[in-house]
Amino acid sequence: MNKRREVRGLTLRTLVPNAITAAAMCLGLTAIRAAILQDWDAAVLLVFAAGVLDGLDGRTARFLNAQSKFGAELDSLADSLSFGVAPALIIYLWSLQFLDRLGWFAALAVAVACALRLARFNARIDLDEQPHKSAGFLTGVPAPVGAGVAFLPMYLWLETGNPALREPLFVGIWLLVIAFLMISNVATFSWTSLRPRRNIRLELLLIGALLVAALILEPWIALSIVSAGYLATVPYSILRYRKFRRQRAANKEASSAPERPA
């Protein structure tokens, strides 16, 4: 008796977040095209738009209960392209090509570091050495944030036109630092796990609204401030995580200590 084999495919509900991910990939590819045409404003903004879609696809999948292994793999591939390959090529065409081989080396560092970070996340290796997400920390700088921060010299150049900000040696060193932060075990804040106090939530809403307005009216200044502000939180997050580990070790030691007889 032949049994019918059940073939499982992607449902229409599952396709919605995957379509958003594919759209983010298209934006990353279009950003490379804009850089080839030396349309630097469009190139940077397209990567930023890809980051916005990257934040939406996962939330959409959870909202629709449409998470899938296919979607997770597609998301990693899209992130590697939009936040690794695209920024590397854009910054190379903008500045690093004038440094010849060393400039290409710096561009490769960002692209490869992004791919390694995503592979580490998918494989979930070195879990014992990585900060616990449940405690409000991530391991290293996330790929979309790393791409945004890598553009910091470009933001300032687009705003001021200062040729020193386009100096290939400076830009190359900057990219190497960002590549290191992306693949490091440095503890960084996971913004999705932060829970602000009730008495400041209206103030945070106001700041968020003003930030959106600033991104529309003065995008390069706003992105520069956001990037610099994020980098300023890294030392603080390292100290917070060290404190968390000490407290966890103390609690574990106290729980494992034998009770004294009464």
Side-chain angles (χ1 to χ4, degrees):
M1 180 177 177
N2 295 329
K3 295 183 178 180
R4 296 179 60 185
R5 178 184 296 178
E6 182 181 358
V7 180
R8 298 183 60 186
L10 295 175
T11 64
L12 182 61
R13 182 179 60 185
T14 307
L15 290 178
V16 174
N18 292 330
I20 297 175
T21 303
M25 188 185 304
C26 291
L27 290 178
L29 288 169
T30 308
I32 296 174
R33 177 181 182 274
I36 294 173
L37 299 175
Q38 297 188 7
D39 189 353
W40 309 120
D41 298 62
V44 175
L45 291 176
L46 284 167
V47 173
F48 177 79
V52 174
L53 292 185
D54 180 69
L56 290 176
D57 59 1
R59 288 169 174 79
T60 303
R62 288 189 291 272
F63 177 76
L64 297 175
N65 193 23
Q67 300 96 324
S68 65
K69 180 66 174 176
F70 175 83
E73 296 297 331
L74 180 63
D75 184 67
S76 291
L77 291 173
D79 287 356
S80 181
L81 172 63
S82 298
F83 310 124
V85 176
L89 290 177
I90 292 169
I91 297 176
Y92 177 80
L93 294 171
W94 171 66
S95 169
L96 296 177
Q97 62 174 319
F98 303 110
L99 199 58
D100 197 23
R101 296 179 181 178
L102 292 179
W104 184 241
F105 174 81
L108 285 176
V110 169
V112 174
C114 182
L116 290 175
R117 173 183 174 79
L118 294 168
R120 179 177 67 180
F121 177 81
N122 289 345
R124 301 186 181 277
I125 62 176
D126 299 333
L127 287 179
D128 294 336
E129 299 298 327
Q130 296 182 23
H132 296 280
K133 189 173 182 179
S134 60
F137 297 94
L138 298 175
T139 304
V141 174
V145 178
V149 175
F151 282 128
L152 180 56
M154 205 168 179
Y155 301 149
L156 297 172
W157 176 81
L158 288 167
E159 178 62 31
T160 65
N162 188 346
L165 295 167
R166 203 176 182 179
E167 174 60 37
L169 183 60
F170 163 70
V171 175
I173 294 173
W174 179 257
L175 286 192
L176 291 176
V177 171
I178 300 305
F180 169 78
L181 289 175
M182 291 175 70
I183 62 173
S184 69
N185 281 330
V186 171
T188 58
F189 285 120
S190 172
W191 301 108
T192 56
S193 64
L194 296 180
R195 297 292 184 269
R197 297 193 302 272
R198 290 181 178 274
N199 59 342
I200 64 170
R201 289 184 177 180
L202 290 179
E203 289 82 352
L204 291 177
L205 287 175
L206 176 61
I207 293 174
L210 292 176
L211 178 59
V212 172
L215 288 171
I216 296 173
L217 299 175
E218 295 290 344
W220 311 128
I221 295 177
L223 288 171
S224 299
I225 293 174
V226 170
S227 299
Y230 176 82
L231 290 175
T233 68
V234 173
Y236 180 63
S237 65
I238 294 173
L239 295 176
R240 284 286 303 271
Y241 182 65
R242 287 179 179 175
K243 181 179 179 181
F244 164 75
R245 292 194 66 174
R246 288 195 298 267
Q247 291 177 344
R248 186 180 63 176
N251 294 336
K252 185 176 181 180
E253 182 178 353
S255 61
S256 62
E259 297 182 359
R260 294 183 177 180

